[in-house]
């Protein structure tokens, strides 16, 4: 049962969390610094990739069953862009869910932009997907503008997520990991409402022109209804590529100063 998964040390997501604990810790006798994989046999790195792909497939199924706008109860911690910064993520873990999300009374809402720019995009998204699979109702992942193939393959981010996958796993396996994770990104919800009063999204509130005529009241209720009419799988959200203008705006529309 899913409720037992956080306590099953043999489950795929727990195996990934255990691998990430090794990644975090220094191993002086093997000249491995903290936040490094060190020198691992190729089969170990390949096994890591297989677990990431497996967990990605399962999380994609979870996300396809979720509405595009989720309702969450307080207490809820809201966390913004991580951009491949694994050390910050672990600092949040130690401060907010030290005994694990399953045993915490709070929920955890992440607003997107998990990858690119930082050195540890692979590790950040691996951790989040593993926790999402073990605690699907407590770990909520929204989609940001970097959760698209076009953005997370752009070399200018130095490194982009795709390059990070290739650097760790090699061209072929790394490409498969990158595509598997992006298949999850395609299905991430776009917004959340906490206690029917706090609207949360990566970008900003969309203009009325993007809502259906019947929803021009622009109340929270009408916006949520419009959001939940969006497809649950949007591989190309850019409206210039046949995607959704509303989804695109929610991912990109940063509030004006």
């Amino acid at each position: 049962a899913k409720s037992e998964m956080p306590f099953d040390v043999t489950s795929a997501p727990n195996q990934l969390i255990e691998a990430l604990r090794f990644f975090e810790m220094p191993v002086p006798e093997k000249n491995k610094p903290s936040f490094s994989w060190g020198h691992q046999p190729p089969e170990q790195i390949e096994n890591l990739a297989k677990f990431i792909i497996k967990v990605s497939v399962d999380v994609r199924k979870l996300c396809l069953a979720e509405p595009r706008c989720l309702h969450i109860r307080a207490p809820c911690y809201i966390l913004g862009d991580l951009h491949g910064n694994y050390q910050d993520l672990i600092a949040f873990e130690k401060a907010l869910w030290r005994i694990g999300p399953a045993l915490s009374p709070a929920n955890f809402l992440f607003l997107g932009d998990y990858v690119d720019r930082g050195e540890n995009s692979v590790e950040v998204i691996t951790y989040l997907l593993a926790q999402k699979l073990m605690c699907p109702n407590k770990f909520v992942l929204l989609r940001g503008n970097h959760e698209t193939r076009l953005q997370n393959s752009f070399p200018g981010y130095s490194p982009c997520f795709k390059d990070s996958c290739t650097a760790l796993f090699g061209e072929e396996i790394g490409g498969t990991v990158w595509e598997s994770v992006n298949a999850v990104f395609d299905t991430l919800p776009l917004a959340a409402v906490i206690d029917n009063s706090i609207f949360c999204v990566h970008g900003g509130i969309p203009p009325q022109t993007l809502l259906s005529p019947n929803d021009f009241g622009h109340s929270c209720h009408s916006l949520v209804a419009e959001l939940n009419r969006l497809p649950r799988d949007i591989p190309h959200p850019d409206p210039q590529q046949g995607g959704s203008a509303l989804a695109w705006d929610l991912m990109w529309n940063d509030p004006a100063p």
Side-chain angles (χ1 to χ4, degrees), residues 68-72 109 140 142 190-194 198-201:
R68 299 303 81 191
C69 183
L70 294 164
H71 287 271
I72 308 172
L109 172 62
V140 178
L142 300 186
L190 295 161
V193 178
I194 301 174
I198 304 173
F199 181 74
C200 302
V201 67

Side-chain angles (χ1 to χ4, degrees), residues 24-104:
E24 291 171 41
M25 301 300 295
V27 185
E29 63 272 21
K30 294 187 177 180
N31 295 317
K32 188 193 96 64
S34 56
F35 300 101
S36 163
W37 291 108
H39 299 288
Q40 300 303 316
E43 58 268 22
Q44 289 284 80
I45 296 298
E46 187 173 341
N47 283 337
L48 176 64
K50 288 178 179 177
F51 275 111
I52 295 172
I53 293 167
K54 174 176 173 49
V55 166
S56 296
V57 169
D58 290 340
V59 174
R60 175 180 161 86
K61 293 175 183 176
L62 280 177
C63 293
L64 282 170
E66 292 180 332
R68 299 303 81 191
C69 183
L70 294 164
H71 287 271
I72 308 172
R73 289 183 178 179
C76 179
Y77 291 101
I78 304 172
L79 298 99
D81 302 14
L82 286 166
H83 277 304
N85 192 328
Y86 190 77
Q87 294 188 43
D88 276 5
L89 176 58
I90 293 307
F92 291 140
E93 176 195 65
K94 291 176 179 177
L96 303 179
W97 60 92
R98 192 177 188 90
I99 60 174
L103 298 176
S104 169

Side-chain angles (χ1 to χ4, degrees), residues 137-154:
N137 297 321
K138 297 183 76 66
F139 250 62
V140 178
L141 307 178
L142 300 186
R143 190 176 189 180
N145 56 291
H146 282 261
E147 280 69 65
T148 62
R149 291 168 182 79
L150 183 62
Q151 285 296 308
N152 62 50
S153 64
F154 176 59

Side-chain angles (χ1 to χ4, degrees), residues 187-244:
T187 65
L188 291 179
L190 295 161
V193 178
I194 301 174
D195 283 354
N196 292 315
S197 61
I198 304 173
F199 181 74
C200 302
V201 67
H202 178 75
I205 298 173
Q208 286 192 347
T209 53
L210 293 180
L211 300 180
S212 300
N214 293 336
D215 287 331
F216 268 8
H218 211 21
S219 67
C220 183
H221 177 77
S222 62
L223 177 56
V224 168
E226 184 79 9
L227 281 170
N228 284 330
R229 286 194 285 269
L230 290 171
R232 295 192 178 187
D233 186 1
I234 309 179
H236 304 289
D238 187 345
Q240 295 185 355
Q241 297 179 340
S244 163

